[in-house]
Amino acid sequence: MNCSIDLNADLGEQPEEKARDIALMQVISSCNIACGGHAGDEASMTVMLRAARAAGVA
């Protein structure tokens, strides 16, 4: 049997913690990126999306 675990994290909720969130992308397999009214803004979401793509995070 081949098992895998999806290690997921909520990222982008604190734009001032961008470096921390990008570092976490080295150990997770998927992420939820904070949007609009919850937290973040267009610029922070763009940074997180690009970083996730570069790290191969879903």
Side-chain angles (χ1 to χ4, degrees):
M1 172 189 270
N2 187 7
C3 295
S4 65
I5 295 174
D6 175 23
L7 185 57
N8 181 277
D10 291 339
L11 302 178
E13 294 183 352
Q14 298 173 315
E16 66 276 6
E17 297 292 342
K18 171 178 56 175
R20 176 201 62 195
D21 288 359
I22 291 172
L24 280 171
M25 290 186 192
Q26 302 309 305
V27 297
I28 63 174
S29 50
S30 67
C31 67
N32 305 309
I33 298 175
C35 300
H38 176 69
D41 56 22
E42 185 176 350
S44 66
M45 289 184 286
T46 299
V47 168
M48 289 293 108
L49 286 168
R50 288 182 176 157
R53 181 175 25 198
V57 174

